[in-house]
Amino acid sequence: MNASDYLSYVKQRNAHEPEFIQAAEEVILSITPVLEKNPDLAKLKILERMLEPERLISFRVNWVDDRGEIQINRGYRVQMNSAIGPYKGGLRFHPSVNQSVLKFLAFEQVFKNALTTLPMGGGKGGSDFDPKGKSELEIMRFCQAFMSELARHIGHRLDVPAGDIGVGGREIGYLFGAYKKIRNEFTGVLTGKGLAWGGSLIRPEATGYGLIYFAENMLQSKGDSLQGKRCIVSGSGNVAQFAIEKIDQLGGIAISASDSSGYVIDEAGIRGEKLEFLKDLKNNRRGRIKEYADQFKCEYHATPAGSAFNPLWKTRAACAFPCATQNEVNATDAQNLHASGVRLVGEGANMPCTPEAINVFLDNGIAYSPGKASNAGGVATSGLEMSQNYMGQSWTREEVDAKLQAIMKNIHDTCLSAAAAYGQPGNYMAGANIAGFLKVAGAMKAQGVV
Ligand code: NDP
Ligand code: 2IT
């Protein structure tokens, strides 16, 4: 089969899943040259098998809100691929969650986890539950209701969920408590746990830190660095907060943050007490980003609903780090980034750039890293949390950070060498897809048709 045969195959089988088709298309275009060189893998239908979840669980979540009204949500776990280890990947609570979104995330997770070098397969799950405006007790009751079904499908050697959009330390706590109660056992079944009950140092920071370590590696490969560079960051959640923190630590200037309502531009840089304010605002008070602008007297712009582009990406800068959600950067945004001087785009979110936007970057020589490579620090540190849980020990902050840095450098170098080996030097997207595919394909081949 050629690329267009694979594409029709995916479109026909997943007709109503646009996000999954988008993620699959990118991989298919990167992998077809690999299959031409390795006809044994084509004959074994490895790619077709990777495009089908090993198991997809969909379930009802009933819970009672503070007014005593019964609420019904949908819960899911997509167990995508277990060739190189237990299923591993986050849980997302957001009203936009559906089967297509979780299949795209689980599919990308398989490649990402392979790139970390740690023994983790890929999975993803979550619910269309909207945490916004819910009380603390409603969040707890929802997590307990969700886990009352999920518990029978996961386990520390089987499937280890973690956080993602709408699921942070608070939710992992409630989910872990519910699992422990239902199963009557204390294991490392979730990552992102609190330090006193099996969590790892640096896990909260890991995705954002890893993203910026990866970008620094990209710049260093061209004899450059982040020092003094203006950086646009979108999002203001877990990934964005620690990307901003690491940009500042490495001498860059993070000038923006956003949420689903709008964005702030702080020309002086988000750092120090201002960053602490942002963390408290988003993690504890759960307020809107506009409050940051009110507090520090900087620019705030509401994001126009239904607009053809996001003016955030018109801000003059050298680097851009989309850290909010999928498809937040389209072709017009990419043109605007190019016009405003951006020379590096590092994805902190999963699939934040549309295929058309990515083409704009590649056509204009903008260094571009796909999320499955540059945001892999989060799941890599989850892998380190699993190792510590299995051993019953915990490593210091310095030990975990050193391992994270080494992993990000290794992923960076692996992407570059795989891209070069297949005639696409400097293309991190092709490199990530090829290297991730080859690792999982080798394991699937060895394990037979199962
Ligand atoms: P959080 O829930 O902590 O933060 C999400 C941020 O993105 C918030 O600022 C939120 O704004 C904004 N956002 C979410 N959905 C939308 C939307 N539809 N439109 C505009 N803005 C939106 O999530 P994380 O920081 O954990 O995740 C961010 C991204 O990073 C996701 O793509 C996730 O898959 C990816 N990722 C996360 C990892 C992790 O370890 N947490 C690891 C690797 C990737 P608002 O508050 O208004 O909703
Ligand atoms: O997209 C991701 O890699 C995550 N949300 C983190 C997954 C994990 O298992 O730590």
Side-chain angles (χ1 to χ4, degrees), residues 53 92 119 121 185 189 191 275 327 370 435:
R92 177 177 291 191
E185 61 177 30
V189 66
T191 59
L275 179 56
N327 293 328

Side-chain angles (χ1 to χ4, degrees), residues 88-90 109 112 124 160-164 191 203 350 375 378-379 382:
K88 180 81 195 90
Q109 199 81 45
K112 185 193 305 193
K124 201 86 187 189
V160 182
D164 194 80
T191 59
R203 177 62 190 92
N350 287 308
N375 74 29
V379 73
S382 280

Side-chain angles (χ1 to χ4, degrees), residues 8 17 38 79 118-119 124 169 194 196 207 267 287 363 416 419 432 437 446:
S8 340
E17 298 183 349
N38 300 276
Q79 298 181 332
L118 302 173
K124 201 86 187 189
T207 311
E267 291 288 342
D363 291 347
L416 279 190
F437 173 79

Side-chain angles (χ1 to χ4, degrees), residues 92-94 96 104-105 109 112 124 132 162-168 203-204 206-208 234-241 258-261 282-283 287-288 322-326 328 348-352 371 375-379 382:
R92 177 177 291 191
F93 292 169
H94 193 272
S96 63
F104 114 66
L105 289 162
Q109 199 81 45
K112 185 193 305 193
K124 201 86 187 189
K132 279 204 187 74
D164 194 80
I165 291 177
V167 178
R203 177 62 190 92
T207 311
S234 68
S236 50
N238 174 268
V239 180
Q241 290 167 18
S258 72
D259 62 19
S260 52
S261 311
K282 284 294 172 182
N283 306 344
R288 309 308 296 157
C323 297
T325 194
Q326 62 270 10
E328 55 171 314
N350 287 308
M351 206 168 77
N375 74 29
V379 73
S382 280

Side-chain angles (χ1 to χ4, degrees), residues 60-71:
R60 187 182 70 193
V61 186
N62 293 330
W63 58 284
V64 181
D65 70 16
D66 286 349
R67 293 168 303 164
E69 200 172 309
I70 296 166
Q71 299 287 339

Side-chain angles (χ1 to χ4, degrees), residues 225-243:
S225 81
L226 267 171
Q227 188 66 39
K229 290 201 165 52
R230 286 164 60 90
C231 300
I232 317 173
V233 176
S234 68
S236 50
N238 174 268
V239 180
Q241 290 167 18
F242 290 103

